[in-house]
Amino acid sequence: MRGAAVTGWGAALPETVVTNADLEARLDTTDEWIVERTGIRERRVGGTTSSLATEAAAQALDRAALRPSDIDLLLLATTTPDQAVPATSPEVAHRLGLTCGAMDLNAACSGFVYALVAAAGMVGLGVDRVLVIGAETLSRIVDQDDRTTAVIFADAAGAVVLEAVPGETKLLGYDLGADGSLRSLLYCDHGGFIVMEGQELFRRAVRATVESARAALERAKVTAEEITLFVPHQANLRIIDAAGQRLGLPRERTALVLDRTGNTSAASVPVALADAVDDGRLSPGDLVLLSGFGAGMTWASAVLRWGR
Ligand code: UT7
């Protein structure tokens, strides 16, 4: 029997910090409003999607004690590729010295969890090691004069290595979903800026996170009480709290980086995961619930057993 396990993790944040005070100085907003309504205190901007992705992936390889040449497939979840064509993943592979298969996947803020599930499927098909990356430079598609989006979205990358391991798979259950009739809640036309219906998205986001997480837990045959770490998409602290409350997953068992990163879409789940692991919050055998939602509308959840 052969399963898939996360054996490496990494994160990359651009150097430039934009604090709420910086935004207060140039937009009709306040630190108080941003903290109260979103939980964000600062965010990072800069770099390119490929450069951030490469940095996070290199870290994940290091932690997995692998060389780039050990990787058989690269999946990059992003909604902000460097160019419209080609995909950004071949560039990331090239920077890492890889010529294995590489493809982009766009499921917005759910993208990393989608890619992780797809990677586990590829391991089932016989692929030994997959680099799964979520990377974004959302600051490029945000109108910096629009206070409703400029205070929220930012740039980052996170990555994991998913390896074939003997025995049962560590991806115990998952749920993927999409509802294209809700596409107008959050979109960006070619050459345009992000447009968002915040309030309606908020309402849908809580429901999607709760229902998707429950479906993944049920398929994994585990309960919320058994989850050591909940890693939700880092969009808004009030969404995370509302979903956590309904699921019975309090903040003490939740990975949070939102205050330091803002909403980094496909990067947010792997960045929060890497941060929690680096803080020593996971031990082999622990159960992790990953959950994302976003433009599309899409949603995705996965239950992982930590360790090889
Ligand atoms: O990755 C998925 C992406 N997106 C999301 O998950 C977003 C989900 N939605 C949200 O997080 C929240 O809806 C927001 C943080 C975007 C907005 O919070 P809200 O509590 O829903 O605020 P609101 O849109 O109801 O606006 C309340 C007030 C409005 O003023 P009035 O009409 O009450 O006078 C807004 O104009 O706050 C105003 N406002 C702001 N004020 C200061 C909107 N943005 C700002 C701002 N600073 N940046």
Side-chain angles (χ1 to χ4, degrees):
M1 232 172 132
R2 156 194 167 97
V6 172
T7 59
W9 59 92
L13 298 178
E15 272 174 29
T16 306
V17 178
V18 178
T19 63
N20 289 352
D22 294 332
L23 294 171
E24 221 173 41
R26 61 176 182 78
L27 290 172
D28 180 18
T29 191
T30 60
D31 171 57
E32 192 190 1
W33 189 95
I34 302 170
V35 172
E36 206 171 277
R37 299 293 179 122
T38 72
I40 301 167
R41 292 178 186 276
E42 60 182 44
R43 70 287 291 142
R44 303 288 190 101
V45 298
T48 61
T49 295
S50 57
S51 65
L52 293 168
T54 306
E55 193 185 328
Q59 257 183 41
L61 284 169
D62 250 21
R63 297 234 166 79
L66 293 174
R67 287 162 308 180
S69 57
D70 296 321
I71 295 297
D72 305 303
L73 179 68
L74 188 156
L75 298 183
L76 172 64
T78 185
T79 196
T80 47
D82 286 354
Q83 295 171 286
V85 178
T88 304
S89 44
E91 170 65 13
V92 176
H94 174 65
R95 287 180 188 227
L96 291 167
L98 289 170
T99 54
C100 64
M103 65 176 172
D104 285 13
L105 185 158
N106 181 352
C109 309
S110 320
F112 176 80
V113 181
Y114 263 80
L116 188 70
V117 173
M122 294 301 282
V123 168
L125 283 177
V127 173
D128 287 329
R129 299 182 186 100
V130 190
L131 251 179
V132 186
I133 310 168
E136 303 282 9
T137 42
L138 293 159
S139 63
R140 290 189 298 117
I141 58 163
V142 163
D143 176 355
Q144 295 299 334
D145 293 327
D146 175 2
R147 68 175 183 174
T148 64
T149 52
V151 304
I152 292 172
F153 295 107
D155 309 336
V160 301
V161 174
L162 194 77
E163 281 193 68
V165 291
E168 282 183 9
T169 190
K170 309 292 178 188
L171 181 75
L172 305 183
Y174 68 88
D175 175 67
L176 305 179
D179 182 352
S181 73
L182 300 173
R183 59 183 299 162
S184 64
L185 293 183
L186 178 55
Y187 66 90
C188 176
D189 286 322
H190 288 297
F193 291 126
I194 291 181
V195 180
M196 183 171 78
E197 257 182 65
Q199 271 189 5
E200 182 59 14
L201 195 55
F202 187 111
R203 216 170 55 78
R204 303 255 179 194
V206 175
R207 199 193 303 163
T209 303
V210 171
E211 287 175 5
S212 179
R214 280 188 182 142
L217 287 167
E218 199 171 306
R219 285 177 201 146
K221 297 189 173 60
V222 302
T223 62
E225 293 84 75
E226 294 173 83
I227 297 292
T228 299
L229 187 71
F230 175 39
V231 189
H233 170 43
Q234 313 279 305
N236 185 318
L237 191 55
R238 291 185 294 139
I239 295 177
I240 294 172
D241 280 344
Q245 202 176 14
R246 286 165 176 75
L247 288 164
L249 291 161
R251 268 200 206 172
E252 308 82 76
R253 287 194 279 143
T254 302
L256 286 171
V257 291
L258 177 69
D259 56 325
R260 291 164 274 154
T261 63
N263 181 341
T264 61
S265 191
S268 92
V269 168
V271 167
L273 174 67
D275 184 75
V277 181
D278 286 342
D279 274 355
R281 293 177 66 185
L282 282 178
S283 307
D286 284 349
L287 293 174
V288 187
L289 170 65
L290 311 174
S291 194
F293 67 88
M297 189 172 174
T298 61
W299 52 90
S301 301
V303 178
L304 272 181
R305 191 176 292 286
W306 195 248
R308 278 178 181 273

